[in-house]
Amino acid sequence: MPPGVSTASFGTTRSPVRGLYRLLVATTRVLRRPRTLARKAFWATLLIALLALGNVLVMQLLLRQSDNIAATLSLAGRMRMLSQQMTLRALAPRQDALGMSAQLQEQYADFESAHAALLHGGHTHGQPVQALAPGLQPSLQSLTEGWRQYRQALERLPSPPLQTPEQIREVMAAGDLLLVRTERLMEQLVQYADGVHQRARVSSLALFVLDMLLLALAYTLLVRRVLRPVRTLTTQCRDMAMGRYGTHTPLPMGDELGELAQALHRSSAQIATLLHDVARERDALAQMQAMFDGLTDNSVAGVYLLDESMHLVYANEQLARMLGYERQLLADRFPLARLFSPAVFDDVRVRVQDRLQGRLHSARYERTALRADGSSLEIEIFGTAMRLNGRPAVIGMMLDISQRKRAEASARRAALVYQNTTEAMVVTDAQGVVLDTNPAFTQVTGYAAHEIVGRRMNMLSSGRQSRAFYQAMWASLLESGKWSGDIWNRRKNGDDFVERLTISASYNEDGSVGCYIGLFADVTAQRRQEASIWHQAHHDHLTQLPNRQMFQQELERSMAQTRASGQSFALLFLDLDMFKEVNDTFGHDMGDELLCEVAHRLRGCVRASDKLARLGGDEFTLILHHLQQPQDAHAVCRKVLHALAQPYELMGGVVQISASAGVTYFPRDGQDGVALLKQADLAMYAAKNKGRNQFCEFVPAMEQEAQERRLLLRDLQQALDGGELTLHYQPIVDMHTGRTVKAEALLRWHHGVRGPVSPAQFVPLAEESGLIVPLGDWVFQEAARQLARWRAEIAPELEINVNVSPVQLQSSGPLAQPWLRHLQTLRLPPEALAIELTENVLMEADQDTSARLQALQSAGMQLALDDFGTGYSSLAYLKRLDIDYLKIDRSFVSQLTQGSEDNVLCQAIIVMAHQLGIRVVAEGVETREQHDILRAAGCDFGQGYWYCHPVSAEDFGARLREERAAVAEPQQPSPRPSAPSEALSL
């Protein structure tokens, strides 16, 4: 054990903590009443430093104790290991007895050195060791006794192999005893270490509590000695800022804060005295200022003050408003020269100098000033000389006389206008007796002034206005003093004319009418022109019937009258049947003549109280009033339909058409005009669906059907976006080889809820809405993609027909270029696809449609004319568009037999087409007999259920593979069961 180190210090921390506590208590006593903030800060810093130093010392002490315990346990473990090694060396066979004895002696020395270090402390095996605590000394004494016995047993042991079993057992027993006692010492050391650690934790907690108490004490002193006085001083400063200078802070003069409080007390008293003096001076100045403000605070005159350098040093608010400047800018030595043009300022400067130099005391004159925005202002200037701070100055006023100047000019102009205006003017007294007229009055009426003055204005009356008209005019004059309107009067020569008259009353000061002033102009030609314009705007230029705009007004008026009278009326919506065909066949001139004749017949079918209108195209409406019951409209409907169905003898020949009508009733079917027109339109379409030349009344189910159409159209859009649409393909067979050489792409839609939807339902909807354009693009691209795969894998010569709607060709967007680019992407030749068109497309083709078709043909794409023979065909269309394929409509094929009329027609079509270089496809082939007849007639291709139904792309591909795998020798196709005609395709 090192000198000066006591075993009592091993594992205890109480004495240093007590010492540190006494030091902190002494420091607190010293800090109890510091005198200045600097000393307070110094002692607070010292206290924190002492706390930190005490924590470091205690932690160093605890770490040193932990190191001592670890060294002691390590030394005890070494003793245990040495005891085992000595036993092994003593019992092992020895070749070198001297060397082995030396090793044992060395281990004896190590063991005894470790024992001595544990007993007395010291430095062994490279580390310092403290002596064991008194509580562990008995275990060490027991270990010493065990060591003595173990060493004696080893020393009595002879060298092997002379050792007897009894000697070996003796050595083993002594070694076990030594090991047990060593283990017991180590266990006690571990228990002792646990106790030391427990005391260390308690000491650390006590130190933490002490630190918290000291910090709380320091915070309390900080609050009492610093923060609370600072808050008190802050409150006093805030009171002073709010004008409460009598507030005093009761702080002792012990430190800087106390001195600051005393300084604030003195400052507050001095400020209060100064404010009192300022208040007295302010009252005196306020009295003087009130007198000046009373003069300057007005809304009439601008007051100014001018120094000797002719700069404004004061301006009131009225002057600033009058000149358009900020008042502060004018009062800040604003140059007087900026208020006038250079020419005007030269005169103003002379007048101001006269007063500044004493030649004149005051002056009054008028000049034109300039506002801030550059505009002119007529002002009247008053100025008087005065002294300002001992220097000459001018004080005065400026008055805005622009209104007076304008009034004077206006009076002069009014006199000129009165004498020279082209509008007639007349002045009468309160009873209507003429007092004066202008020259234009004579020009309009023909009466000279001396002929009309002193007489009443009723001498101009034409007699067209009723007594009630004049009573209403005088009532308006008496009530409001004004009247304006058109009136018919008569000139001196007896001609009637329309004048636009405005009468205004001029009142005396007592409120009585002084006179009436009449201003009028001859508007006869203008009213005739307006009537013509109104008629053109509200009537159809072709039929002279009311147009859509006037119809809407009449409909609103009829609904208002019906609500007042309680009677109902019927709205009849008419659409001509087959008018478009007539217009396209015979030309627009014939169509216009037909529409005029229809309008003439409609006029003869209705009463004067009924309203007839043309909405546009071939659509007409009738409003039938005064219906006792809804069925009263049926007779009118039958009469109208019968009249319109009679033949029309026109310039180009005789034409016969019919009409379809829809009827709806107000207020039974709807409450507004939009709903009524929509319902009548739905009823009209229902009549067309019944076979035309009929009428139908609106029922709610029609609106439900329209809603269904809207929902179906919405679902179709979603189907296009969501991939619900597919293409089926129907083979087109070479009639001579039986091989499938072409196919027609047919659009199919399987609705998620409705199931399969027929193209006859959704294709017309798509065409009406314009959705057919993206839908057709998708069909073309999908068919081209599938064709490219089949041509590459199965049939290199296969061709596909794609149906194209007229709406696609008539749309404004591009068509040919995107399709051709798509074919280039697929590396597909354009001649591999054929576009199928109907005859109506060719007939209605405009310049843009023809250009699109020619662009496709120029690129190599083929054209096929579908449903040939069902429309108004013309060979000129076939020649103009260079048709590649002509498809005979299924209506000619379905009843085809030997010797039938259809057979003759088919043969004629085939011969005609071949003469024109057009190949023929027969649609709707369903029997072997039809196939044989058409083949014998020279038909090129066949399409129908007898060959194959429309199938999916997978099934069509399988059919192609089967044909390619079959024998090359052509075979007749096997008959198929007949079935109804296939569904419409896109």
Side-chain angles (χ1 to χ4, degrees):
M1 179 182 296
V5 179
S6 172
T7 58
S9 65
F10 186 75
T12 179
T13 61
R14 295 177 182 176
S15 297
V17 173
R18 287 198 186 97
L20 179 61
Y21 176 74
R22 293 191 187 98
L23 178 61
L24 293 175
V25 170
T27 303
T28 303
R29 290 172 181 171
V30 174
L31 292 172
R32 183 170 297 171
R33 293 188 61 83
R35 300 297 297 172
T36 65
L37 290 177
R39 292 184 62 188
K40 291 177 183 180
F42 170 76
W43 286 111
T45 304
L46 179 61
L47 176 61
I48 294 173
L50 290 175
L51 287 176
L53 179 62
N55 291 337
V56 170
L57 292 176
V58 171
M59 293 305 299
Q60 289 292 334
L61 181 59
L62 294 177
L63 290 174
R64 188 178 299 112
Q65 290 180 355
S66 298
D67 293 341
N68 291 336
I69 293 173
T72 302
L73 284 173
S74 174
L75 192 59
R78 183 174 181 84
M79 293 172 65
R80 174 185 175 187
M81 180 186 68
L82 288 172
S83 66
Q84 294 176 347
Q85 289 179 351
M86 288 185 291
T87 301
L88 294 175
R89 292 184 184 278
L91 296 179
R94 284 176 275 181
Q95 300 296 331
D96 184 6
L98 293 177
M100 185 63 70
S101 176
Q103 293 177 355
L104 285 174
Q105 291 301 321
E106 183 180 349
Q107 291 176 345
Y108 291 162
D110 288 344
F111 191 91
E112 290 178 353
S113 174
H115 178 268
L118 291 177
L119 181 62
H120 303 291
H123 195 279
T124 181
H125 297 96
Q127 59 182 355
V129 180
Q130 290 188 352
L132 291 178
L136 300 177
Q137 291 294 332
S139 297
L140 184 60
Q141 293 298 329
S142 176
L143 176 63
T144 303
E145 180 64 23
W147 163 248
R148 186 183 60 77
Q149 295 177 6
Y150 178 66
R151 183 170 182 177
Q152 291 175 358
L154 290 176
E155 291 175 350
R156 288 194 297 270
L157 186 67
S159 303
L162 299 178
Q163 299 171 353
T164 64
E166 289 80 5
Q167 292 174 334
I168 294 172
R169 282 194 292 272
E170 180 183 4
V171 170
M172 295 296 294
D176 292 341
L177 178 61
L178 179 62
L179 181 62
V180 169
R181 292 181 179 180
T182 303
E183 292 284 351
R184 183 180 302 115
L185 177 61
M186 292 182 67
E187 291 176 357
Q188 291 181 354
L189 281 172
V190 171
Q191 293 175 358
Y192 180 76
D194 292 339
V196 171
H197 291 161
Q198 181 65 27
R199 288 192 296 276
R201 284 193 292 271
V202 174
S203 299
S204 299
L205 180 60
L207 182 62
F208 174 75
V209 172
L210 179 60
D211 291 345
M212 293 296 101
L213 291 175
L214 291 176
L215 290 175
L217 176 62
Y219 176 75
T220 302
L221 292 174
L222 177 65
V223 171
R224 293 181 57 189
R225 299 294 181 181
V226 178
L227 298 181
R228 190 176 298 166
V230 168
R231 282 197 297 269
T232 304
L233 291 174
T234 301
T235 302
Q236 182 176 357
C237 292
R238 188 180 296 113
D239 291 342
M240 291 176 63
M242 298 178 64
R244 297 193 288 268
Y245 299 102
T247 304
H248 294 283
T249 304
L251 292 179
M253 292 291 292
D255 54 16
E256 291 90 338
L257 295 176
E259 294 177 2
L260 178 60
Q262 293 300 321
L264 287 175
H265 296 164
R266 291 192 295 272
S267 300
S268 177
Q270 292 179 2
I271 292 174
T273 302
L274 289 174
L275 290 177
H276 179 70
D277 295 340
V278 169
R280 287 187 301 174
E281 294 181 3
R282 182 184 298 166
D283 290 340
L285 290 174
Q287 293 178 1
M288 297 177 63
Q289 186 68 33
M291 293 186 292
F292 185 74
D293 290 344
L295 295 174
T296 60
D297 188 12
N298 66 87
S299 59
V300 177
V303 179
Y304 67 92
L305 185 61
L306 198 67
D307 65 9
E308 62 180 338
S309 61
M310 288 192 289
H311 287 79
L312 294 176
V313 294
Y314 174 81
N316 69 342
E317 189 64 34
Q318 174 60 21
L319 183 64
R321 284 196 300 268
M322 192 167 62
L323 297 175
Y325 289 96
E326 292 290 335
R327 180 181 180 185
Q328 183 177 359
L329 179 63
L330 287 178
D332 189 17
R333 292 187 56 77
F334 188 85
L336 182 65
R338 289 180 58 182
L339 298 181
F340 302 95
S341 65
V344 174
F345 181 67
D346 290 341
D347 179 67
V348 172
R349 182 174 61 250
V350 171
R351 292 178 177 273
V352 172
Q353 289 294 339
D354 288 344
R355 280 167 287 168
L356 290 175
Q357 296 173 8
R359 291 191 292 269
L360 289 175
H361 179 68
S362 61
R364 172 183 176 274
Y365 53 94
E366 297 177 2
R367 290 295 180 269
T368 301
L370 297 178
R371 294 172 53 86
D373 58 4
S375 59
S376 299
L377 177 71
E378 298 295 331
I379 60 174
E380 187 174 7
I381 304 174
F382 299 87
T384 302
M386 62 170 291
R387 305 292 293 183
L388 178 64
N389 297 328
R391 306 297 300 172
V394 174
I395 187 171
M397 295 184 299
M398 296 184 186
L399 295 176
D400 183 1
I401 60 174
S402 300
Q403 186 174 1
R404 188 186 76 192
K405 290 287 188 180
R406 287 193 296 269
E408 293 173 354
S410 177
R412 291 192 298 269
R413 288 193 298 270
L416 292 175
V417 170
Y418 185 75
Q419 294 297 323
N420 299 283
T421 183
T422 58
E423 291 191 345
M425 294 184 181
V426 60
V427 180
T428 71
D429 62 11
Q431 287 71 40
V433 177
V434 177
L435 301 177
D436 191 15
T437 64
N438 69 340
F441 181 90
T442 302
Q443 295 176 2
V444 174
T445 65
Y447 290 97
H450 68 277
E451 295 176 317
I452 193 69
V453 172
R455 304 179 66 179
R456 296 178 62 84
M457 280 293 294
N458 58 10
M459 68 176 295
L460 300 179
S461 177
S462 64
R464 293 196 180 193
Q465 270 77 31
S466 63
R467 185 179 183 85
F469 174 84
Y470 291 105
Q471 289 176 347
M473 181 179 69
W474 280 104
S476 175
L477 286 173
L478 294 175
E479 180 180 354
S480 63
K482 295 180 180 180
W483 183 88
S484 180
D486 287 357
I487 185 172
W488 281 93
N489 272 336
R490 182 168 293 159
R491 295 187 177 93
K492 182 179 179 179
N493 61 6
D495 294 339
D496 291 346
F497 68 99
V498 181
E499 66 179 44
R500 181 65 180 178
L501 173 63
T502 300
I503 304 175
S504 301
S506 175
Y507 296 96
N508 299 318
E509 293 182 359
D510 60 358
S512 61
V513 176
C515 64
Y516 289 107
I517 302 171
L519 178 67
F520 63 90
D522 184 357
V523 294
T524 307
Q526 180 182 348
R527 292 297 179 262
R528 289 173 181 168
Q529 184 179 7
E530 290 174 352
S532 176
I533 294 174
W534 184 90
H535 182 83
Q536 293 175 9
H538 291 79
H539 288 76
D540 176 46
H541 72 282
L542 180 63
T543 62
Q544 298 305 310
L545 292 177
N547 59 9
R548 181 182 293 272
Q549 180 180 357
M550 190 170 181
F551 164 74
Q552 295 289 352
Q553 297 174 2
E554 289 290 347
L555 185 59
E556 293 295 332
R557 190 179 300 110
S558 298
M559 289 189 294
Q561 292 174 355
T562 298
R563 293 187 184 101
S565 64
Q567 292 183 332
S568 65
F569 70 83
L571 174 60
L572 181 64
F573 190 96
L574 284 167
D575 185 87
L576 302 182
D577 301 329
M578 304 301 292
F579 173 76
K580 187 175 184 302
E581 287 76 1
V582 173
N583 205 29
D584 293 339
T585 302
F586 299 100
H588 293 288
D589 292 339
M590 182 78 81
D592 291 346
E593 187 180 355
L594 176 60
L595 290 174
C596 292
E597 181 60 27
V598 168
H600 175 71
R601 294 187 185 186
L602 288 175
R603 290 191 187 95
C605 296
V606 298
R607 300 163 297 179
S609 60
D610 298 330
K611 302 300 180 182
L612 173 63
R614 180 192 176 201
L615 298 187
D618 58 347
E619 296 177 345
F620 297 85
T621 56
L622 280 170
I623 300 177
L624 306 178
H625 290 109
H626 311 304
L627 298 179
Q628 300 300 324
Q629 53 185 355
Q631 290 76 10
D632 294 344
H634 293 183
V636 179
C637 291
R638 285 189 287 268
K639 181 180 179 181
V640 167
L641 294 180
H642 177 74
L644 297 182
Q646 302 306 310
Y648 295 83
E649 295 183 2
L650 307 177
M651 295 295 294
V654 178
V655 173
Q656 187 166 5
I657 61 171
S658 61
S660 299
V663 184
T664 187
Y665 298 94
F666 179 85
R668 187 191 75 178
D669 296 330
Q671 296 298 319
D672 63 87
V674 175
L676 288 174
L677 194 59
K678 175 183 173 183
Q679 293 163 358
D681 186 53
L682 292 174
M684 183 273 294
Y685 274 107
K688 280 188 179 293
N689 293 333
K690 288 173 59 176
R692 302 181 179 180
N693 196 25
Q694 298 189 45
F695 71 91
C696 283
E697 288 189 358
F698 169 77
V699 292
M702 295 177 183
E703 199 160 19
Q704 295 175 1
E705 292 176 2
Q707 178 67 13
E708 284 293 326
R709 288 166 60 87
R710 289 192 292 270
L711 293 177
L712 188 62
L713 182 60
R714 180 202 63 187
D715 293 346
L716 180 58
Q717 177 66 66
Q718 294 175 354
L720 178 60
D721 298 336
E724 294 182 11
L725 301 175
T726 58
L727 289 183
H728 281 199
Y729 299 88
Q730 186 172 28
I732 298 177
V733 175
D734 187 327
M735 283 194 166
H736 301 286
T737 64
R739 298 287 297 276
T740 300
V741 294
K742 297 171 65 68
E744 181 179 359
L746 303 172
L747 183 60
R748 294 294 182 263
W749 177 19
H750 191 277
H751 193 279
V753 177
R754 302 171 185 263
V757 182
S758 170
Q761 290 182 267
F762 66 81
V763 169
L765 285 178
E767 290 181 329
E768 292 174 8
S769 64
L771 185 61
I772 194 69
V773 176
L775 193 62
D777 288 341
W778 180 87
V779 170
F780 181 86
Q781 294 173 8
E782 179 65 16
R785 183 188 61 80
Q786 186 62 58
L787 176 61
R789 180 181 302 174
W790 284 331
R791 286 174 68 96
E793 298 176 357
I794 307 173
E797 303 299 327
L798 183 66
E799 298 178 0
I800 292 292
N801 287 13
V802 178
N803 292 277
V804 175
S805 168
V807 180
Q808 289 177 264
L809 296 173
Q810 296 166 3
S811 64
S812 59
L815 178 69
Q817 294 305 320
W819 285 7
L820 295 175
R821 284 197 299 267
H822 182 63
L823 296 180
Q824 290 176 357
T825 302
L826 298 174
R827 297 181 180 179
L828 196 64
E831 57 268 17
L833 282 97
I835 303 300
E836 289 199 12
L837 310 170
T838 62
E839 294 176 274
N840 291 337
V841 174
L842 301 182
M843 295 179 59
E844 300 171 5
D846 54 14
Q847 185 176 359
D848 293 338
T849 301
S850 299
R852 290 187 176 93
L853 291 175
Q854 290 174 0
L856 294 174
Q857 280 189 303
S858 299
M861 200 172 296
Q862 303 180 80
L863 294 184
L865 187 58
D866 196 10
D867 300 336
F868 184 79
T870 59
Y872 292 89
S873 303
S874 173
L875 296 180
Y877 296 121
L878 302 180
K879 294 175 60 179
R880 185 180 64 187
L881 289 176
D882 192 16
I883 299 297
D884 298 283
Y885 295 94
L886 188 150
K887 301 186 74 173
I888 302 175
D889 187 70
R890 60 174 51 87
S891 62
F892 299 110
V893 179
S894 60
Q895 304 297 326
L896 186 61
T897 59
Q898 290 289 350
S900 63
E901 184 179 350
D902 289 337
N903 187 10
V904 176
L905 290 174
C906 290
Q907 290 178 358
I909 293 173
I910 294 169
V911 171
M912 176 201 69
H914 286 172
Q915 290 295 324
L916 295 173
I918 301 173
R919 288 174 288 180
V920 182
V921 180
E923 294 184 297
V925 179
E926 298 181 356
T927 66
R928 177 60 178 268
E929 182 183 6
Q930 295 170 355
H931 168 78
D932 292 340
I933 293 173
L934 290 167
R935 180 182 179 185
C939 185
D940 301 291
F941 305 101
Q943 179 182 356
Y945 286 173
W946 190 72
Y947 306 107
C948 183
H949 286 248
V951 294
S952 64
E954 292 78 6
D955 293 341
F956 186 80
R959 175 186 175 91
L960 292 177
R961 291 186 180 90
E962 290 177 1
E963 289 186 359
R964 295 307 180 269
V967 183
E969 181 180 355
Q971 300 178 2
Q972 294 295 335
S974 59
R976 303 292 199 276
S978 61
S981 298
E982 61 189 85
L984 294 178
S985 60
L986 176 63

